[in-house]
Amino acid sequence: MSTSLERYTDRVEAFTGSHPFVVDLALILPLMGSATLGASLTLPGAHPPDQDTTAVILMGVSCLALLKHRSHPRAAVVVNAVCAVIVIAMGYLLTPLLLAPIMAALYWLATLTDRATLRAYGFTTMVALMIAAAFSDSMDHLSLLLRTIGPFFWLLLPLAAGTMTRLRRAYLQSVQARAEHAERTREEEARLRVTEERVRIARELHDVVAHHLALANAQAGTAAHLVLTNPQQSKAILTDLTGTTSSALRELKAALGLLRQSDDPDSAPLEPSPGLARLPELVTACASAGLAVTVTTEGEPQPLSPGVDLTAFRIVQEALTNVSKHARAETAHVRLVYSGSRLLLTVSNDGPAASPVPEATPSRGFGVMGMRERAHSIGGELRAAPRPEGGFEVTTALPLQPRAAEESEKTP
């Protein structure tokens, strides 16, 4: 029922917007008839004033003023109020029929103007008509309360109805504006989410592929160098190279599996994300590539959330990869410090650095930028810069338990 009523109301408003003069004329003619009929009503035993022509002219002027209610709602109210006060002062009985034009003017005033204007013009009109009714001769045998309470409620009714109409229109306009805004931004938001997901996947693939390929390249070069002078060590390095490539394929399969993972409970489970527990495996792989890595831990080790654990491991992995690729160093140091609610992580090397670039460029890769993005995504901080005494150092501070939203973004 309410839906049908709203549909009917919308159709009326649409027709009103396209044919305003026809609608106004169709409404004003009944109001003129109503006011004329109201001027002929009297109380039992009373005689109407002998000024019918004047009253009809005044009512006609008030109704004609309503034709301008769309462009001049305040002027329409003022003209109708003056005409109504004069007619009441002439001795005509104050009835809803006689007040029909001023009631219509107040309704349109409430729908077309703001609240301050409504208070100023609406309540001033109510007071003026109530004073005129109080001194009218047509109801001098009634008490003051009965003479004023009727006009008060009759005029309050169009003010309340107009206010409700204005609020409903404002609500519908706000809903329509929100819908249009959502439609405009939906495609942009979808594009932004796709871009963020692509960046996250690209960062994960970069950490996996770059690290293992760098180690594989270093292991292959070392094995080729030692194949004639030390065949046994060369054979051991080649054995480690097989493990490096297998680990790369395993992590690459796990990363790509995220793209194919469905909600099917029968689908194969994914391999757990790497964390600091695999640090010894990383140290062994670096050692086989000719880079000796020492790990020191200070403070009481505390459990890390999966996102922080993955971030810490990837930062160490990428930092050691950069040492192997860019620094002429044979040793590197990894220092873990558990301090309060944060994990302080430092990766440094003692050899001279080959001027690593702090920010990514097309020719130098995205290593440091990816580490910084990882740290910032869970509320951490990262600094990568050359050491004053030589070498290069990556320092990061990570929270042990990031916020839930950040955690969900980091955990595969």
Side-chain angles (χ1 to χ4, degrees):
M1 180 64 181
S2 60
T3 304
S4 301
L5 181 59
E6 290 179 358
R7 188 182 301 112
Y8 175 76
T9 304
D10 293 339
R11 291 177 180 176
V12 171
E13 291 182 355
F15 182 80
T16 302
S18 58
H19 305 84
F21 182 78
V22 175
V23 174
D24 293 345
L25 190 61
L27 292 175
I28 290 171
L29 289 178
L31 291 175
M32 182 63 188
S34 174
T36 304
L37 178 62
S40 64
L41 298 178
T42 59
L43 292 175
H47 297 283
D50 297 331
Q51 301 177 11
D52 293 340
T53 303
T54 304
V56 171
I57 293 175
L58 290 173
M59 290 297 98
V61 171
S62 64
C63 291
L64 290 176
L66 293 177
L67 290 174
K68 294 294 183 180
H69 77 272
R70 297 181 185 275
S71 58
H72 301 85
R74 300 169 184 83
V77 170
V78 171
V79 172
N80 274 267
V82 171
C83 293
V85 169
I86 294 175
V87 170
I88 295 172
M90 291 168 57
Y92 286 91
L93 182 63
L94 187 59
T95 64
L97 295 176
L98 188 67
L99 293 178
I102 185 61
M103 293 173 67
L106 289 176
Y107 172 80
W108 284 319
L109 178 72
T111 58
L112 299 175
T113 60
D114 55 12
R115 189 175 302 175
T117 302
L118 179 62
R119 290 197 189 103
Y121 285 82
F123 290 104
T124 301
T125 300
M126 291 177 63
V127 171
L129 292 181
M130 290 172 61
I131 294 175
F135 293 96
S136 175
D137 295 336
S138 62
M139 296 183 294
D140 53 358
H141 61 286
L142 298 177
S143 64
L144 180 62
L145 178 62
L146 294 178
R147 279 184 284 176
T148 57
I149 194 173
F152 174 79
F153 283 107
W154 293 335
L155 298 178
L156 186 63
L157 179 62
L159 293 176
T163 301
M164 294 299 297
T165 301
R166 177 170 54 83
L167 293 177
R168 177 179 177 274
R169 289 177 181 175
Y171 171 75
L172 294 178
Q173 290 176 357
S174 65
V175 171
Q176 183 178 2
R178 287 197 299 267
E180 293 176 352
H181 177 72
E183 187 67 24
R184 289 194 303 268
T185 58
R186 183 178 304 166
E187 184 177 353
E188 182 180 352
E189 290 178 356
R191 190 185 306 112
L192 179 60
R193 291 178 182 178
V194 170
T195 302
E196 291 176 350
E197 188 65 16
R198 288 176 57 187
V199 170
R200 190 172 71 91
I201 294 174
R203 187 167 56 235
E204 189 70 17
L205 291 177
H206 171 271
D207 291 346
V208 172
V209 175
H211 167 70
H212 288 95
L213 286 183
L215 285 182
N217 180 69
Q219 289 171 335
T222 304
H225 179 70
L226 298 175
V227 66
L228 297 178
T229 60
N230 195 339
Q232 293 296 330
Q233 186 176 359
S234 177
K235 180 179 180 180
I237 293 175
L238 291 176
T239 302
D240 294 336
L241 176 60
T242 302
T244 300
T245 55
S246 299
S247 177
L249 291 174
R250 186 169 60 253
E251 290 197 28
L252 185 61
K253 180 180 179 181
L256 295 178
L258 293 175
L259 303 179
R260 299 185 178 184
Q261 181 71 3
S262 64
D263 296 331
D264 186 3
D266 297 331
S267 60
L270 297 177
E271 181 181 347
S273 301
L276 292 180
R278 291 180 56 178
L279 206 53
E281 178 183 340
L282 180 61
V283 171
T284 302
C286 291
S288 64
L291 178 65
V293 180
T294 59
V295 179
T296 59
T297 302
E298 300 180 11
E300 183 67 22
Q302 300 189 26
L304 305 176
S305 65
V308 175
D309 202 15
L310 172 63
T311 299
F313 177 80
R314 290 301 188 200
I315 289 176
V316 173
Q317 184 184 59
E318 180 61 27
L320 293 178
T321 301
N322 288 342
V323 173
S324 300
K325 292 169 57 178
H326 303 298
R328 296 188 299 272
E330 297 181 354
T331 60
H333 311 281
V334 178
R335 181 167 172 258
L336 306 175
V337 179
Y338 293 88
S339 175
S341 61
R342 302 181 73 82
L343 169 64
L344 305 179
L345 194 153
T346 303
V347 181
S348 60
N349 64 278
D350 297 330
S355 302
V357 183
E359 295 295 339
T361 62
S363 61
R364 301 300 296 269
F366 296 86
V368 176
M369 184 180 70
M371 289 190 292
R372 183 172 289 113
E373 289 177 351
R374 282 186 176 276
H376 289 173
S377 66
I378 60 171
E381 301 174 354
L382 185 137
R383 179 181 177 274
R387 302 171 61 191
E389 62 271 21
F392 200 79
E393 183 176 76
V394 175
T395 305
T396 182
L398 304 176
L400 298 182
Q401 298 293 333
R403 294 190 298 269
E406 296 167 341
E407 178 71 12
S408 62
E409 293 179 357
K410 286 300 300 177
T411 305

